[in-house]
Amino acid sequence: MALNGNSSHVKSHRGGRNNRGSRGGRGGGGGGGHYSKFHSREPKTLPKGVDPNNPIIQQFQEHARILDEKNDKYERIVKLSRDITVESKRVIFLLHRITCEDDKPAVLGEAEIKLGDIRKRLWYYVASELVNEDPYKFLRAYTGGLQEYVEALSFYHYICYDELISWEKVQEELHFQRNAHRPKDEVKDPLDPKAAQARETIPTKEQTEDEDAGDSVSVAIQEEAHPEPKSDSSGGNTNLKGSTAKKSLQVLVPKTDFVLGLADLTGEVMRQAINFIGLGNTQACFDLMEFLHAMHDGFLDVGYRHDMRREMSRKINVLNHSLQKVENACYSINVRGSEFPSKTHLADLLLNSRESHVADPTGPMGDETDGPTDCDPYL
Amino acid sequence: MANVSEVFRDYAESIEAEHEVREKVRDKLRVIETLARESSAMLQHVHQPSGFAKIADITAQAERHLVDQIRPALAELSSSVPASQFYRYYAMFNYTLMRLCHLCSLIHFLKEGQLLTRAATAQDWLQIGQSRADGFYLEVDDYLGGLIQTSNELARFAVNCVTNQDFERPVQICEFLSTLLAGFRLLNLKNDNLRKKFDSLKYDMKKVEEVVYDLSIRGLTKSPPTGALEDKGTSPNPSQGTPNAEGDDGPVKPQDG
């Protein structure tokens, strides 16, 4: 299920399981993607003795259809969100492998590609699903992936630019533009029969509508690695009725979810600080502590206001522990640094400290394992 | 670090703004909840002998109350929710909408003996939308939840009908619930609230069937209930007797079930 750096086809990376690369954004008709094909779109066989002409039965069939569409879409988004979570965690592990300045270009380059992949191969499809939908209706389905992605993205941003990423930048990342005949899907795997089917059924329904959902902002974001192919691609096999105007999609990033992702970032920053001690870079620890203090101040300001989710207070709790760990580390550096035969010894000590009631998933050398602090209740 | 505090300042502003909206919504909601309780109390009278005698008056009164008071309050609520952010605040008011649907379908059934459709509930009774394009609208889930609340109420009512010497109404209620149940069975429900409510519908059905059984073995009902959903055109179905005033084609012979 890995997003291989070298694989460039959605198909192959999803190969091992049912392809649920949802091709259609709309709830209606056959555009719901492969998964929806499991649910017959014909009227259900009614139980014996039930009159299909009874208007009440017909109404309930309609209710069933509406509920099915919503549930199917929700499930598709949940699955994408899980993938996003996994891939984002991988980016974070990757970023933790930076040991010195020289490592940075290579690792950051790879991270950038991976983040781009998450965006194009996963978030794009979430955005497709959300076309003409109220994003808050499906927020629960993708908030887990979103928070994890914010964590990865902001960590990357921090290492690159030494600053905290803004909400606007994150929201921009999840903006997409789509050409009328969706060349991106077509170039992926022209031989795939499902894609061919999708090509035939989708474009007409979606591209003829020109009303704006109302939430999508028309900011144009160009794909970095794959510029939109201009009208070359296979314009022939789609029966386009509408214009070739670009359509704007986005995945809404509510500010609260963004901030929750930032809370997770602080955990990673803490780990990085400790890792750097082990690598002999004690100055980094102090720098990161300054950053954590700023984050802590910010959270104290907003974290306890009304309507906050329980999750927020839980994360602030974790932040407090992370901060304490780093503060203790800095203290140890100053007071006890000379006592230790090697820097790694000090790092070991700091990592194994158990002030935090939350189990610290990092091992002695800063090797990452998945820990309970990263679990998301929505998954 | 300057930009960290910027990020949080920005966030603080946005939650302040959201908080204000929530306060407004909460205020409007409180009004509706009070009115809904009044309406419920009114309708409760039908269970008692004094009220039973004047069901028509009670339903008329409840309907007037809905039109004159609840509907405008609902319009107020609807305008307090920012356009295109319906689902952001949905969890605040969806239960109330469900209760209002229940009141509508209950009143309608007591008056007409029929199921109130979602379209009619939204358009005619509550005067809100039916889909996202309408801004503030009635979700299918809330409509269905309301129907089940009505079924719960009617199951209780069936018992009280008998107490008040009305032996025909329980039969009518039985058919109604049977239709509802068949309809609900067509849904693919997830393990959510609606699913749990659906279970209560089955218990309601059972209760009312028992009432009808009690009546029919004592010969208290003039017309035993039909399977209201029969496909009346085709050959043998396990029907339970002659159909009542639904106006069908041709006689249906009672069959051994």
Side-chain angles (χ1 to χ4, degrees), chain A residues 105-320:
Chain A
V107 173
L108 290 177
E110 198 182 335
E112 184 177 353
I113 292 176
K114 280 183 131 72
L115 286 168
D117 278 348
I118 296 176
R119 190 178 159 256
K120 287 188 286 271
R121 304 226 166 115
L122 295 169
W123 280 121
Y124 175 76
Y125 292 104
V126 177
S128 296
E129 292 287 357
L130 293 177
V131 169
N132 291 331
E133 298 282 359
D134 187 330
Y136 281 96
K137 188 169 181 176
F138 296 97
L139 179 60
R140 284 275 132 303
Y142 70 85
T143 187
L146 180 60
Q147 287 177 39
E148 202 67 48
Y149 177 73
V150 167
E151 190 186 340
L153 189 65
S154 57
F155 192 31
Y156 167 82
H157 189 94
Y158 180 75
I159 295 176
C160 278
Y161 306 113
D162 203 21
E163 64 166 19
L164 183 65
I165 197 171
S166 69
W167 171 79
E168 282 82 9
K169 284 224 179 56
V170 177
Q171 182 64 86
E172 265 176 46
E173 285 289 311
L174 299 187
H175 255 113
F176 302 91
Q177 288 253 301
R178 177 162 76 192
N179 269 342
H181 40 274
R182 300 191 61 186
K184 276 165 54 70
D185 294 303
E186 286 152 9
V187 302
K188 285 288 186 324
D189 189 350
L191 298 177
D192 177 58
K194 293 188 187 78
Q197 209 176 359
R199 262 177 262 139
E200 283 151 26
T201 54
I202 293 158
T204 44
K205 285 183 184 150
E206 286 181 281
Q207 305 318 320
T208 48
E209 60 197 348
D210 46 36
E211 41 79 29
D212 193 332
D215 319 295
S216 42
V217 174
S218 52
V219 171
I221 298 297
Q222 295 309 318
E223 317 271 281
E224 309 90 55
H226 302 292
E228 295 285 336
K230 300 297 173 236
S231 45
D232 61 341
S233 41
S234 45
N237 50 355
T238 62
N239 16 333
L240 266 199
K241 295 200 191 107
S243 64
T244 53
K246 282 184 193 266
K247 191 179 170 109
S248 179
L249 324 161
Q250 75 161 6
V251 181
L252 181 71
V253 180
K255 288 188 177 169
T256 298
D257 299 73
F258 163 68
V259 169
L260 288 171
L262 293 184
D264 294 332
L265 169 67
T266 58
E268 300 309 322
V269 167
M270 178 273 287
R271 276 180 207 122
Q272 192 181 46
I274 306 297
N275 288 348
F276 276 149
I277 295 174
L279 297 164
N281 184 353
T282 51
Q283 181 54 40
C285 192
F286 286 91
D287 295 337
L288 292 172
M289 180 171 74
E290 192 191 334
F291 178 66
L292 278 186
H293 271 133
M295 295 287 276
H296 187 243
D297 286 343
F299 274 100
L300 285 180
D301 220 14
V302 304
Y304 298 105
R305 296 194 186 193
H306 354 257
D307 312 333
M308 274 306 112
R309 310 208 291 233
R310 276 187 307 273
E311 213 191 339
M312 182 70 86
S313 23
R314 189 164 58 91
K315 297 208 177 195
I316 292 178
N317 215 8
V318 174
L319 167 54
N320 287 336

Side-chain angles (χ1 to χ4, degrees), chain A residues 44 51 75 137 164 305, chain B residues 3 16 139 186 190 229:
Chain A
K44 269 205 189 104
D51 178 8
E75 285 303 308
K137 188 169 181 176
L164 183 65
R305 296 194 186 193
Chain B
N3 93 309
E16 274 305 316
E139 264 288 14
L186 296 178
K190 306 188 81 176
L229 307 162

Side-chain angles (χ1 to χ4, degrees), chain A residues 44 49 51 59-60 63 68 70-71 75 132 134 136-137 164 215 255-256 291 298-299 305 307, chain B residues 1 3 8 10-11 14 16 19 22 87-88 117 132 139 141 143 179 183 186-188 190 229-230:
Chain A
K44 269 205 189 104
D51 178 8
Q59 282 164 35
F60 271 86
H63 296 147
D68 281 348
K70 179 186 72 166
N71 291 334
E75 285 303 308
N132 291 331
D134 187 330
Y136 281 96
K137 188 169 181 176
L164 183 65
D215 319 295
K255 288 188 177 169
T256 298
F291 178 66
F299 274 100
R305 296 194 186 193
D307 312 333
Chain B
M1 274 192 171
N3 93 309
F8 282 95
D10 176 57
Y11 180 53
S14 73
E16 274 305 316
H19 180 67
R22 282 188 188 264
Y87 256 96
R88 188 172 183 180
T117 63
R132 183 172 176 246
E139 264 288 14
D141 309 63
Y143 166 72
T179 312
L186 296 178
L187 305 176
N188 293 313
K190 306 188 81 176
L229 307 162
E230 272 160 47

